[in-house]
Amino acid sequence: MYIPDYYEFGCPVNIVAGHDSLEKTADILAVPGSSQPMLLTDKGVRQAGLADIVLDAVKDRLDIKCVEDGVPPDSDLKVVRQLAQLYNQKGCDSIIAVGGGSVLDTAKGINMLVSEKTDDLMQFTGAGALKRKLRPLIAVPTTAGTGSEVTIAAVIADHEKNRKMIFGSHFLLPDAALIDSRMTLTLPAHIRAATAMDAMAHAVEACVMLSKNPLSDAHAKEAIRRIMKHLLPLIAEPENKEGRLSLALAAALAGIAFSNSLVGMVHALGHSVGSVCHVPHGNCMAILLSYGLEYNFHKTEERIADILFSLAGPEIYAKTPKSQPAQKSIDCIRKLNRDLFQATKGLHATCLKDLKDREQHPMVPKEKLPEIAQTALGDGMVFYNPEDVDYEDWLMVLEAAWEGVPLDRTKVRKG
Amino acid sequence: MNTDNFTFLCRSRSLFGKNALEHLPFELSGMGARKVFVLRDNASESSDSIRHLRPAFADSGMTLGLCPPPDQNSGTGTDILKDCYRTFTGKGYDSIIALGTGPITDLAKALNLAVSLGPEVFKRGIQPQDQAKSLLPFAYLPTRGGSGRESSCRACCNAQIFELPALAPDIVLTDERLMAADTKENIICSAFSALSVCCETFVFADNPMAKAYASAGISLLMEHLFPLLETENEWNARPAAVGNKYRRNLACIAHASAISGFLLANSTSIISFHLGNFIAENADTSGLTAGSAAAIFLPRVLEQFAGNTPALAQLLLPLGGQDAFSAVPPVQQAAAAIHILQNILNRFYQISFGAVPRSLGDAGIDKSAVARLQEKIQQEDIWTETGISGAGRDKIAAVLLRS
């Protein structure tokens, strides 16, 4: 067990999980005396009927003041301001956020504005900017991936500056996370795969990065084990509600883990691929995770080896020679991506060049790689990466990930 | 997996390790604290913890008010609480640190109730409307292992029990510099209590968040208890002080104990823990602590209630580690987990020259006493709060006999 000289750990979110946990919504909001929430979601979630399940679960018990589905996939400061105005106009006293990362992050942004009675979100960047509890916020995740329901962070784009703004405060944590298996029933297979790989990246990086600790490890390893057990079977059989609940819990476990141990270059690079080429975050994580492990291999081999048990199970762990478990861990992640590629009939890409948009155009043209590398230099997550990374390093990793070939570890500089 | 809903809430933030204390002013000021009332017990005096506390706040702009350790002979618990209340409100404090374990944390929680909800709370009790109210910022800084209840959401004040999620500490800070020298009996009591809570939670809670905390708690105990107690062969010179050299191990045990408190706040039915406390209070023997009794019951409770289930087999993972788990065939893992727990007792019996009992018999509780205790379990309504049914009580009576 690795115990750092100093560490912090906490997640004061009330986690309510099950196959009908949404029915607890009114009771949870009643504790702080709220009964007039805004229900915030996006159009996809609403069209899938998920908002209706929530509305049905709270009918006759809550006075939903407005149902707003205008959150775009890549929410920004302007959207947050508009929705905060709506919240005030309608006389809401709390938020129920139903959706993936963008909806939950937007809800956190709205909550900052309406609780602090301002329209300037930028004053809450930086540590310690928020000083008091915000209004009640309930998170209902629908993607089993981001872990936003249990994280202190909110990522909100500033499209004018082509940057993603990261807000972080314990006061951004939702009061409760309602994890309900019904919420992920209709998730398309390739999105289920990508979002679960987002959770996998959270868990794996939490186990490998500099701020890992016994409590984050315990949460992360349980998350990895659950993803490995349930993800592929769920692609084939999404009706399995036990599997869906377990995967949603894995996302929350991974979210708790990485909020307390932080993440590194995989996320730094993923943010940059996302912001330059508008690739969904989960797809970036799925492709880049194994490359991040390879790049940091010489500094974290023991830690990468330690996750093999959770990735592959006790039998493979026991049969793997002592010199090979770290490489075996990386191989497991690559194999999972290949299996997902097969299971999703090619919709789950395994390298950057294979990422396609809805019109089947490549999302990451090779000529964009230098711009992505340049953007990654400014990402704060790289600060927590075990090995230093500069522009040339980023480019080398991106080129390998673009081609889908393993990183040549002999070319990684060892600082 | 169970299809019922489950909930998990751990309000406390854990800060652990070297120089953790220096992070406390930032954490407290982030919660709006400016003037901190410090309650401490005698153990905190012996560890010289104030010497570390003062400099940690030196440049913080915050004011520390140091209350001397309560003199239990100078009045009742109510008198002490009233004194603290007058000082706290009279001087405008806005937050609380409890430096120590056991009664001092109960006093801190009671004070927080009084200053946050008003002193009438002790007459009217906790009401539903109190559930939403915030209490003042409260940090718990252990100086010993503790019972685990310090970090739970429960307070005992003059035989009254108060339970409220907000009673759990906002911060549990474990800094090895604060660890006081302790007797081996106390260390074992804390560690065994925590082990019982963590192991039972790991096996019985169908709740991955609780399992994750439990797993970390078990691993901390397995790695740090034996080095602490095996390296000095001084058991006969009781009470043997375990001093500076082993403060890191002590801090890890205090950390695991705090984790067990988080788990206690999420479960009422930790059988071995409650049974251990029941025996310590009711058995006619002075040498059996609640923790030691819980550790005696733990393997029998797991056998009786979990049998040869996958959940019990999985317990081998935090107890033995990944290598040991992988080496043992699945059909043998449950038995191997029980074997490890029993071996802990056997080993400590040996290194303590019989002071740590392996069974109720070792503790001087004979079969007739066991029969009386079994009767008491069946007759009294003491298990209501644990949610254990009549059939469960029969099983507990069987556990008692086998122990």
Side-chain angles (χ1 to χ4, degrees):
Chain A
M1 171 186 259
Y2 170 76
I3 307 178
D5 279 351
Y6 172 74
Y7 75 91
E8 300 173 6
F9 189 92
C11 177
V13 178
N14 187 11
I15 292 163
V16 183
H19 302 306
D20 56 0
S21 61
L22 291 170
E23 273 68 8
K24 304 264 184 194
T25 308
D27 293 333
I28 291 166
L29 280 177
V31 174
S34 299
S35 60
Q36 300 178 330
M38 163 190 258
L39 194 150
L40 187 72
T41 188
D42 63 36
K43 290 196 166 44
V45 168
R46 196 164 191 186
Q47 281 164 9
L50 302 180
D52 291 336
I53 297 173
V54 179
L55 290 169
D56 194 47
V58 302
K59 73 177 176 194
D60 303 330
R61 300 200 60 201
L62 291 176
D63 176 16
I64 303 274
K65 285 293 178 184
C66 62
V67 179
E68 178 51 55
D69 64 6
V71 179
D74 196 10
S75 186
D76 70 0
L77 300 174
K78 196 173 155 190
V79 172
V80 169
R81 271 197 298 272
Q82 286 168 350
L83 292 171
Q85 283 169 5
L86 187 70
Y87 177 106
N88 289 326
Q89 284 164 10
K90 298 282 184 182
C92 305
D93 62 10
S94 49
I95 304 172
I96 302 171
V98 184
S102 184
V103 171
L104 298 182
D105 287 351
T106 302
K108 291 174 184 177
I110 294 169
N111 210 15
M112 283 188 265
L113 295 184
V114 298
S115 300
E116 294 294 331
K117 297 184 173 62
T118 176
D119 63 356
D120 176 17
L121 204 55
M122 296 310 291
Q123 64 183 281
F124 304 116
T125 55
L130 286 167
K131 292 284 184 196
R132 56 185 170 176
K133 188 168 167 29
L134 306 181
R135 291 193 185 172
L137 167 62
I138 290 187
V140 182
T142 59
T143 57
T146 66
S148 279
E149 66 275 17
V150 289
T151 63
I152 62 169
V155 182
I156 296 167
D158 181 350
H159 283 143
E160 286 176 9
K161 294 180 181 163
N162 207 23
R163 278 255 171 225
K164 290 199 171 185
M165 307 304 302
I166 299 176
F167 299 85
S169 167
H170 294 288
F171 294 111
L172 287 180
L173 284 164
D175 296 84
L178 298 184
I179 298 169
D180 192 307
S181 59
R182 290 171 289 180
M183 290 292 101
T184 53
L185 174 61
T186 56
L187 213 53
H190 66 288
I191 296 179
R192 193 185 300 284
T195 53
M197 289 307 290
D198 184 16
M200 176 69 95
H202 291 156
V204 169
E205 285 217 284
C207 286
V208 174
M209 292 300 121
L210 295 175
S211 298
K212 80 188 233 106
N213 63 68
L215 283 163
S216 66
D217 269 0
H219 283 75
K221 286 179 176 178
E222 180 65 16
I224 294 170
R225 193 187 66 74
R226 282 170 183 263
I227 295 166
M228 294 304 291
K229 182 176 178 187
H230 293 292
L231 176 54
L232 275 167
L234 264 182
I235 300 289
E237 194 200 346
E239 298 78 21
N240 181 343
K241 64 179 187 178
E242 301 298 342
R244 291 199 311 272
L245 181 59
S246 190
L247 206 57
L249 285 166
L253 285 159
I256 294 170
F258 96 85
S259 308
N260 285 280
S261 67
L262 304 173
V263 285
M265 69 176 285
V266 175
H267 276 76
L269 212 44
H271 292 155
S272 305
V273 175
S275 64
V276 174
C277 299
H278 307 289
V279 177
H281 184 64
N283 294 97
C284 299
M285 295 296 98
I287 293 168
L288 295 169
L289 178 57
S290 55
Y291 292 96
L293 295 177
E294 281 177 324
Y295 185 85
N296 289 309
F297 194 94
H298 59 287
K299 289 219 166 160
T300 57
E301 182 176 356
E302 201 177 325
R303 294 176 181 194
I304 300 169
D306 189 51
I307 57 173
L308 178 62
F309 182 94
S310 310
L311 281 166
E315 200 171 332
I316 289 174
Y317 178 85
K319 289 176 179 171
T320 302
K322 288 295 172 195
S323 61
Q324 295 174 18
Q327 185 55 52
K328 189 90 177 171
S329 294
I330 295 169
D331 294 345
C332 278
I333 292 165
R334 288 222 164 96
K335 180 175 184 308
L336 177 59
N337 270 328
R338 288 197 301 273
D339 290 346
L340 289 169
F341 175 83
Q342 296 286 341
T344 60
K345 299 183 173 57
L347 290 174
H348 180 82
T350 56
C351 57
L352 294 176
K353 73 177 175 187
D354 285 349
L355 283 165
K356 303 270 177 27
D357 63 16
R358 287 183 180 182
E359 284 76 42
Q360 295 303 303
H361 298 131
M363 295 187 82
V364 188
K366 195 166 188 183
E367 56 272 22
K368 284 277 186 185
L369 298 185
E371 188 186 347
I372 296 169
Q374 193 64 43
T375 307
L377 287 172
D379 193 285
M381 290 298 125
V382 75
F383 180 75
Y384 303 101
N385 197 61
E387 182 57 279
D388 292 337
V389 198
D390 65 15
Y391 174 81
E392 297 298 328
D393 302 320
W394 284 129
L395 202 55
M396 175 180 66
V397 173
L398 281 166
E399 283 171 351
W402 194 85
E403 289 288 352
V405 295
L407 193 65
D408 181 353
R409 292 212 311 265
T410 61
K411 291 185 178 169
V412 176
R413 67 177 174 143
K414 297 173 175 63
Chain B
M1 181 193 278
N2 192 336
T3 55
D4 294 338
N5 288 326
F6 76 78
T7 65
F8 185 80
L9 174 61
C10 176
R11 289 185 70 258
S12 305
R13 197 165 145 68
S14 297
L15 277 60
F16 175 88
K18 276 182 189 165
N19 304 324
L21 204 46
E22 277 66 20
H23 296 258
L24 187 56
F26 175 78
E27 295 288 332
L28 283 173
S29 67
M31 290 187 276
R34 291 289 173 271
K35 197 167 178 182
V36 191
F37 191 69
V38 182
L39 287 162
R40 55 194 159 132
D41 62 12
N42 286 316
S44 72
E45 291 289 276
S46 69
S47 69
D48 205 12
S49 49
I50 296 298
R51 188 167 63 85
H52 302 292
L53 191 65
R54 281 185 197 277
F57 280 80
D59 300 322
S60 67
M62 299 169 79
T63 307
L64 280 184
L66 301 174
C67 187
D71 180 358
Q72 301 296 339
N73 300 320
S74 68
T76 65
T78 309
D79 294 333
I80 294 168
L81 178 58
K82 281 180 178 172
D83 281 347
C84 290
Y85 178 80
R86 276 193 291 270
T87 309
F88 191 100
T89 52
K91 294 192 173 179
Y93 289 101
D94 59 16
S95 48
I96 302 169
I97 289 175
L99 190 55
T101 53
I104 204 71
T105 56
D106 279 327
L107 177 61
K109 289 175 182 176
L111 177 63
N112 205 2
L113 279 178
V115 296
S116 301
L117 304 182
E120 61 277 8
V121 71
F122 298 107
K123 286 184 184 156
R124 64 171 171 84
I126 302 280
Q127 301 295 315
Q129 67 268 21
D130 295 326
Q131 298 292 327
K133 291 179 182 163
S134 298
L135 304 189
L136 291 179
F138 167 40
Y140 160 50
L141 282 55
T143 52
R144 286 180 170 165
S147 68
R149 285 205 163 111
E150 295 88 348
S151 54
S152 74
C153 54
R154 176 184 169 123
C156 179
C157 180
N158 293 327
Q160 260 185 299
I161 302 292
F162 295 89
E163 279 199 65
L164 191 64
L167 268 175
D170 297 290
I171 296 165
V172 176
L173 185 150
T174 313
D175 187 318
E176 52 208 71
R177 291 170 298 170
L178 300 179
M179 291 294 117
D182 206 352
T183 65
K184 289 184 175 179
E185 283 82 354
N186 280 343
I187 294 166
I188 284 182
C189 183
S190 295
F192 280 2
S193 271
L195 187 66
S196 304
V197 173
C198 291
C199 285
E200 273 204 49
T201 301
F202 188 90
V203 173
F204 295 122
D206 216 348
N207 176 333
M209 281 70 191
K211 270 181 191 279
Y213 274 97
S215 171
I218 295 166
S219 300
L220 282 166
L221 291 165
M222 294 303 289
E223 286 196 14
H224 293 276
L225 183 57
F226 278 101
L228 188 60
L229 299 179
E230 283 193 321
T231 45
E232 288 192 356
N233 189 22
E234 294 175 354
W235 205 280
N236 281 336
R238 284 182 290 138
V242 180
N244 291 348
K245 194 173 165 188
Y246 302 109
R247 285 187 177 200
R248 178 77 167 174
N249 301 82
L250 277 172
C252 285
I253 289 165
H255 189 26
S257 178
I259 287 171
S260 76
F262 303 153
L263 299 173
L264 283 171
N266 281 279
S267 173
T268 52
S269 52
I270 310 288
I271 299 169
S272 58
F273 178 82
H274 291 295
L275 202 49
N277 280 282
F278 169 75
I279 294 295
E281 287 165 16
N282 290 280
D284 189 18
T285 173
S286 57
L288 188 60
T289 63
S292 278
I296 291 170
F297 294 130
L298 177 62
R300 306 290 87 82
V301 166
L302 294 175
E303 283 173 341
Q304 189 77 39
F305 288 85
N308 194 22
T309 58
L312 182 53
Q314 285 292 317
L315 181 61
L316 180 60
L317 185 53
L319 283 173
Q322 294 181 160
D323 287 347
F325 185 90
S326 305
V328 177
V331 292
Q332 296 173 20
Q333 286 165 347
I338 295 290
H339 183 70
I340 287 178
L341 291 172
Q342 192 60 57
N343 254 357
I344 292 172
L345 285 170
N346 297 346
R347 182 79 186 114
F348 280 127
Y349 178 81
Q350 186 182 33
I351 65 173
S352 70
F353 309 108
V356 176
R358 299 160 300 183
S359 64
L360 294 182
D362 286 341
I365 299 173
D366 60 22
K367 284 195 173 173
S368 63
V370 167
R372 284 195 298 277
L373 290 165
Q374 283 178 311
E375 205 173 320
K376 201 163 184 174
I377 284 173
Q378 293 291 356
Q379 285 172 355
E380 292 187 8
D381 204 22
I382 55 171
W383 298 99
T384 306
E385 73 167 287
T386 65
I388 292 165
S389 65
R393 290 182 204 189
D394 291 340
K395 282 188 176 180
I396 288 171
V399 164
L400 209 54
L401 188 61
R402 293 187 62 214
S403 300

